[in-house]
Amino acid sequence: MLARVQIPPTVRRGEVFEIRVLLQHPMETGYRVDSAGVLLPRDLIRRLEAHFDGELILAAELHAALSANPYFAFHFRLPRSGALTLRWQGDNGFAHSESLRISAT
């Protein structure tokens, strides 16, 4: 599982900016069959969370209506330099997280 996170190159303290996230995941609903007629098992991301220095800033419950490789965008006011951590979990017990540092100017 990979995530592409896009933030502006510079962010001022107190500024509201957009965080864009693209999660690479097939989001298989469990209703489709493969070329041999075998039902493909369900494999969905069920929850996405964003934390800034350990504080929850976004939580989303996800459902089967999302397409493969879901894209999210949300806004955040940067209080100071710190770590942004994205966590997502889903079916079959999978969980993944990625972190990046955001420096306030």
Side-chain angles (χ1 to χ4, degrees):
M1 310 295 153
L2 293 175
R4 290 186 183 178
V5 182
Q6 185 179 32
I7 60 172
T10 59
V11 181
R12 288 186 292 243
R13 181 174 285 118
E15 178 181 7
V16 175
F17 67 101
E18 186 175 55
I19 299 170
R20 298 177 188 170
V21 180
L22 177 67
L23 300 177
Q24 294 180 355
H25 191 274
M27 296 295 282
E28 187 56 60
T29 63
Y31 298 121
R32 293 183 328 123
V33 294
D34 66 11
S35 59
V38 177
L39 192 64
L40 296 169
R42 188 173 81 174
D43 186 12
L44 299 172
I45 297 172
R46 292 303 199 167
R47 183 168 176 87
L48 171 66
E49 293 181 353
H51 297 260
F52 183 76
D53 281 347
E55 181 181 342
L56 182 67
I57 60 171
L58 172 85
E61 296 292 329
L62 309 176
H63 302 280
L66 288 177
S67 66
N69 305 317
Y71 169 82
F72 304 90
F74 59 97
H75 292 88
F76 177 62
R77 184 182 308 276
L78 187 66
R80 64 190 172 282
S81 296
L84 174 69
T85 302
L86 298 167
R87 295 183 183 136
W88 59 100
Q89 58 193 38
D91 293 331
N92 308 317
F94 94 85
H96 193 76
S97 68
E98 293 201 17
S99 295
L100 62 110
R101 182 114 180 116
I102 303 175
S103 297
T105 57

